[in-house]
């Protein structure tokens, strides 16, 4: 668990481009002041609608790419999966529209100092923050394998330029429409015999399964969780999940500020949606 | 623009504040997170998250649902407990110059009294909010603000503990038949001011799962959806108790929204759910309300408090 404290800023960011990638929209935003400080795993929280919007809660997105300089100053890129009314509204923004963005938020993936053999596992658009992580790992001479899984081809996010960041990329879809028919965990040797660390981002079920594989193999699995958040900045206490701290005490911690990246074996995956017995401050 | 001569200060009992814009309890954690967005000294006061005697895990997730112009929450008073709060959170606020209203919540009259004694003995507190109206307690019978006798007993106990050392602000629930009767009861028991309104009890059912959306089933409704309820409650209570200061809250997103509550009778305004939407909201609303008051010809904020009660000229 990283203890890094970001100091986020709030900014009206112009949409530079918005293009469809399979089932998703890939938005590039001019975000000077934010982009310079992004580290892989950080996210942004974006408000929905205008100042009289009936949807008050921010939507959080993992940052895909960020550039600190360029023709638009710094930019950030996010991958938006339109599902509810709020994410659909954000996914429909056109160039020159503005979005109110707070970021960078949350902790970042810890990067080992020495070269490692890393396995990066993404579920759906959860692969997005893994590509910039892969680039940094490769700069440190690490070997990077990536596995991406989704229900169907259009929900696989693995852009051509991202493929250059990794040494190998394997894809699985549940319907077999692209890659191997099956789950993302079918794509690699589950004994993890050639892997030093696993980085993962995706649905809770996938993260739980990977943590179990990591535990059996004695390999750390760094998990970026997706919990629903109202604010993204640590105020509302809605995005909590049960996580064991260094002294072995389970606490309800905010995934927005203490996370979104946790060591998989610290997260009480079976206790999500409950207050596990023995949790600090649990009702007696 | 004559901001130089505009007096924005406000008073709650013996406590003075340079401006009337506060955070709302439970919507600002304990200040640190918001300080990334503005200096906490810019606003009238930080109202801390209601703290109980012991550490609390709060409730299971999901704890939240977005609703039309609002949200439903059932956090369950997650917090560090009073001792950790007074050792870590309060000193941080004091060091950073934030005027602080400490909010306490208890499950019994004795717990409220003991909590208030601890807060009284801590330096740097401007006022004490007594949250007798949290809707997310285990037993609805524990919502003291829904019962006149219970509300009175809690405030009497707190008054015995703190005397006149700190202004006591009783936080009221709108989920009552007659909020004026509750307000009169707590003022009779020694409350120096009132905070209103807490959230309204609501429910969302997820039509996919066909089950209640929140793990707690019910939750507190906040946001602009409840603003007319706040305006009505503040108006009624100010009419009955014109000399009792009210910290008004309920769906304030803009300076104009704050103005509406001031006209109804609020001497200070807490910004709550708006902060989730816009973490800079407290300072933005402070500036918007000042502009509005000056534009309407007010030279003192206090002259606008309860203005809607005046007969038409």
């Amino acid at each position: 668990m990283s203890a890094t404290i970001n100091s986020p800023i709030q900014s009206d960011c112009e949409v530079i481009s918005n293009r469809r990638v399979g089932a998703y929209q890939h938005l590039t935003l001019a975000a000077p002041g934010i982009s310079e400080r992004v580290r892989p795993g950080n996210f942004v929280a974006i408000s929905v609608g205008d100042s009289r919007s009936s949807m008050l809660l921010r939507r959080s997105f993992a940052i895909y790419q960020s550039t600190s300089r360029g023709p638009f100053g710094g930019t950030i890129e996010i991958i938006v999966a339109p599902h509810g009314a709020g994410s659909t509204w954000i996914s429909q923004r056109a160039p020159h529209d503005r979005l109110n963005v707070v970021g960078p938020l949350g902790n970042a993936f810890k990067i080992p100092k020495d070269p490692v053999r890393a396995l990066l596992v993404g579920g759906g658009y959860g692969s997005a923050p893994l590509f910039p992580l892969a680039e940094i790992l490769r700069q440190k001479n690490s070997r990077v394998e990536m596995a991406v899984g989704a229900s169907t081809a259009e929900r696989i996010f693995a852009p051509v330029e991202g493929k250059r960041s990794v040494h190998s990329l394997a894809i699985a879809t549940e319907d077999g429409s692209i890659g191997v028919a099956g789950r993302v965990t079918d794509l690699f040797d589950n004994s993890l015999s050639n892997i030093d660390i696993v980085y993962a981002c995706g649905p809770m079920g996938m993260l739980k399964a990977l943590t179990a594989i990591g535990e059996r193999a004695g390999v750390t699995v760094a998990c970026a969780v997706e919990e629903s958040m109202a604010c993204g900045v640590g105020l509302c206490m809605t995005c909590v999940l049960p996580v064991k701290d260094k002294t072995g005490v389970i606490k309800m911690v905010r995934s927005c500020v203490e996370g979104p990246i946790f060591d998989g074996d610290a997260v009480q995956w079976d206790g999500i949606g409950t207050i596990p017995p023995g949790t600090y401050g649990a009702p007696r | 623009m004559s901001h130089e001569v505009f007096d924005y200060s406000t008073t709650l009992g013996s406590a003075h504040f340079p401006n009337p814009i506060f955070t709302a309890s439970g919507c600002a954690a304990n200040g640190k997170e918001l300080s990334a967005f503005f200096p906490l000294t810019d606003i009238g006061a930080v109202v801390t998250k209601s703290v109980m005697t012991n550490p609390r895990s709060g409730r299971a997730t999901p704890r939240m649902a977005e609703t039309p112009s609002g949200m439903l929450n059932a956090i369950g008073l997650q917090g560090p407990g009073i001792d950790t709060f007074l050792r870590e959170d309060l000193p941080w606020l004091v060091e950073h110059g934030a005027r602080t209203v400490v909010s306490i919540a208890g499950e019994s009259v004795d717990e409220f009294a003991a909590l208030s004694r601890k807060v009284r003995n801590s330096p740097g507190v401007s006022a004490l909010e007594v949250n007798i109206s949290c809707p997310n307690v285990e037993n609805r019978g524990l919502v003291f603000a829904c019962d006149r006798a219970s509300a009175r007993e809690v405030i009497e106990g707190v008054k015995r503990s703190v005397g006149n050392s700190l202004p006591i602000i009783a936080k009221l629930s709108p989920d009552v038949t007659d909020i004026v009767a509750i307000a009169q009861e707590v003022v009779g028991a020694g409350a120096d001011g009132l905070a209103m309104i807490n959230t309204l009890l609501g429910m969302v059912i997820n039509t996919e799962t066909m089950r209640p959306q929140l793990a707690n089933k019910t939750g507190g409704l906040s946001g602009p959806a409840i603003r007319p309820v706040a305006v009505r409650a503040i108006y009624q209570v100010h009419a009955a108790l014109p000399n009792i200061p009210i910290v008004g809250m309920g769906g304030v997103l803009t300076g104009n929204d704050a103005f509406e509550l001031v006209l109804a009778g609020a001497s200070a305004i807490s910004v709550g759910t708006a902060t989730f939407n816009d973490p800079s909201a407290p300072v933005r609303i402070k500036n918007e309300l000042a502009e509005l008051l000056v534009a309407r010809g007010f030279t003192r904020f206090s002259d606008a408090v309860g203005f809607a009660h005046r007969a038409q000229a």
Side-chain angles (χ1 to χ4, degrees), chain A residues 3 28 34 53 55 101 154 170 233 236 266 281:
Chain A
T28 301
I34 297 176
S53 172
M55 288 180 276
V101 178
E154 65 169 8
V233 299
C236 73

Side-chain angles (χ1 to χ4, degrees), chain A residues 31-33 35-37 66-76:
Chain A
S35 61
E36 297 87 333
R37 291 180 299 133
S66 59
T67 56
S68 55
R69 63 182 82 81
F72 303 101
T75 60
I76 58 168

Side-chain angles (χ1 to χ4, degrees), chain B residues 230-247:
Chain B
V231 173
R232 179 270 298 170
I234 294 164
Y235 189 92
Q236 287 178 331
V237 169
H238 186 71
L241 297 163
N243 298 317
I244 300 300
I246 295 170
V247 182

